[in-house]
């Protein structure tokens, strides 16, 4: 049975779910947040140590302003209403990506990170304004600037995921088989699961099924 430390998720399909059932993409984003809560709960149940959630990509700025505004509002309210809850559950929140948001959201994110920084049950890495290519480029630039040797170990040290083991599992919901600029370096040996269900429809049983399958996979890492 494979050990499981880190699950990364591309939470895709909110917009389509919203249009289909509520005639509004934003309603899908709202419903998607419920799935996030369910999956956090199940991650604790499964004793997973790291959960990395792709919430907003560097390319998602191309969306209509109203949708972006709605998404960040949703996140603000989530932080205001739920951070104490997360803290009580001994959850650590870490943001990966660029923190270039409104003053209010930046403050909330910083506060949430600070409040939860010594928690050690589950670490949630929330990927916000995250792009893997930018992350890799920044890491390489730092190495060059500091005149450090460019090797795998040093690059890892300069990634936003430093000190976090690579994902064992990558899940993408929403019936699309692509990576959309997510953790390209870190998923070199992750087991990838493409899930047909849209993110708001994804549930703990779907999650459990994936974990069960993962545990039985023969992971080679190049060996036999
Ligand atoms: C993913 O759902 C959530 C974000 C990118 C914020 P989408 O909004 O991409 O949903 P679809 O893919 O359009 O259905
Ligand atoms: C990936 O979904 C990003 C997040 C889930 C945050 P997208 O919906 O942005 O991906 P593409 O554009 O369809 O590849
Ligand atoms: Mg999408």
């Amino acid at each position: 049975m494979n050990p499981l430390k880190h699950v990364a998720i591309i939470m895709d399909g909110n917009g389509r779910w919203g249009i289909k059932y509520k005639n509004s993409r934003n309603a899908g984003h709202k419903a998607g947040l419920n799935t996030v809560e369910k999956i956090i709960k199940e991650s604790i149940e499964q004793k997973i140590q790291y959960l990395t959630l792709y919430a907003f990509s560097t390319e998602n700025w191309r969306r209509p302003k109203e949708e972006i505004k709605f998404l960040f509002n949703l996140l603000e309210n989530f932080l205001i209403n739920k951070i104490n809850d997360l803290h009580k559950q001994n959850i650590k929140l870490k943001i990966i990506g660029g923190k270039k948001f409104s003053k209010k959201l930046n403050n909330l994110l910083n506060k949430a990170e600070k409040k939860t920084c010594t928690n050690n049950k589950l670490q949630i890495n929330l990927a916000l304004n995250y792009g893997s290519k930018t992350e890799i480029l920044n890491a390489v630039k730092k190495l060059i600037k500091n005149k450090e040797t460019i090797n795998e170990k040093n690059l890892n040290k300069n990634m936003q995921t430093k000190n976090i083991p690579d994902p064992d599992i990558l899940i993408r919901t929403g019936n699309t088989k692509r990576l959309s600029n997510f953790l390209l370096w870190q998923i070199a040996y992750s087991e990838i699961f493409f899930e047909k269900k849209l993110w708001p429809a994804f549930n703990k049983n779907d999650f459990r099924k994936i974990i069960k399958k993962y545990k039985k996979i023969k992971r080679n890492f190049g060996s036999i």
Side-chain angles (χ1 to χ4, degrees), residues 10-12 54-57 60 63 172 178 180:
I10 302 174
M11 310 182 288
D12 194 28
Y54 204 8
F56 196 86
S57 73
N60 285 145
R63 294 189 179 203
R172 181 180 187 133
R178 57 176 173 251
S180 304

Side-chain angles (χ1 to χ4, degrees), residues 156-169:
N156 271 328
K157 267 200 325 212
N158 284 281
M159 299 294 268
Q160 294 191 295
T161 51
K162 70 171 176 212
N163 300 327
I164 300 170
D166 286 342
D168 301 297
I169 295 180

Side-chain angles (χ1 to χ4, degrees), residues 74-117:
L74 207 61
L75 178 61
E76 281 179 11
N77 289 332
F78 179 80
L79 290 168
I80 292 167
N81 296 322
K82 303 282 167 151
I83 194 63
N84 284 333
D85 229 40
L86 296 183
H87 184 51
K88 269 193 212 131
Q89 293 178 74
N90 201 8
I91 292 171
K92 173 174 173 174
L93 186 71
K94 183 184 156 68
I95 309 303
I96 60 170
K99 263 194 231 149
K100 272 196 193 148
F101 311 106
S102 69
K103 221 174 162 183
K104 183 178 177 196
L105 182 54
N106 280 338
N107 276 336
L108 283 168
L109 291 169
N110 287 334
K111 261 205 216 151
E113 278 190 309
K114 213 171 150 194
K115 189 182 179 92
T116 62
C117 71

Side-chain angles (χ1 to χ4, degrees), residues 111-133:
K111 261 205 216 151
E113 278 190 309
K114 213 171 150 194
K115 189 182 179 92
T116 62
C117 71
T118 57
N119 292 346
N120 57 15
K121 184 129 202 157
L122 168 71
Q123 175 169 334
I124 299 174
N125 306 305
L126 191 62
L128 277 181
N129 188 16
Y130 174 87
S132 185
K133 288 192 176 184

Side-chain angles (χ1 to χ4, degrees), residues 2 5 22 57-58 72 75 114 128 148 176 186 190 200:
N2 294 316
K5 277 195 178 161
K22 311 260 172 181
S57 73
T58 45
F72 289 132
L75 178 61
K114 213 171 150 194
L128 277 181
E148 282 183 84
T176 309
Q186 295 87 340
S190 304

Side-chain angles (χ1 to χ4, degrees), residues 4 6-9 35-36 38-48 50-51 53 122 169-171 173 193 195 197 199 201-214:
L4 177 57
H6 185 175
V7 176
I9 308 182
T35 306
V36 170
K38 282 185 212 155
I39 295 309
I40 291 174
K41 211 168 151 205
E42 185 59 22
S43 297
I44 291 176
E45 199 79 15
Q46 298 283 338
K47 301 195 165 57
I48 289 163
Y50 301 92
L51 178 66
L53 301 174
L122 168 71
I169 295 180
L170 171 73
I171 300 170
T173 59
F193 295 84
E195 164 70 46
K197 280 192 181 176
W199 178 248
F202 189 70
N203 61 38
K204 97 177 168 195
N205 282 333
D206 302 317
F207 193 37
R208 280 184 184 167
K209 269 187 214 157
I210 288 173
I211 293 170
K212 205 171 159 197
K213 263 194 204 157
Y214 157 82

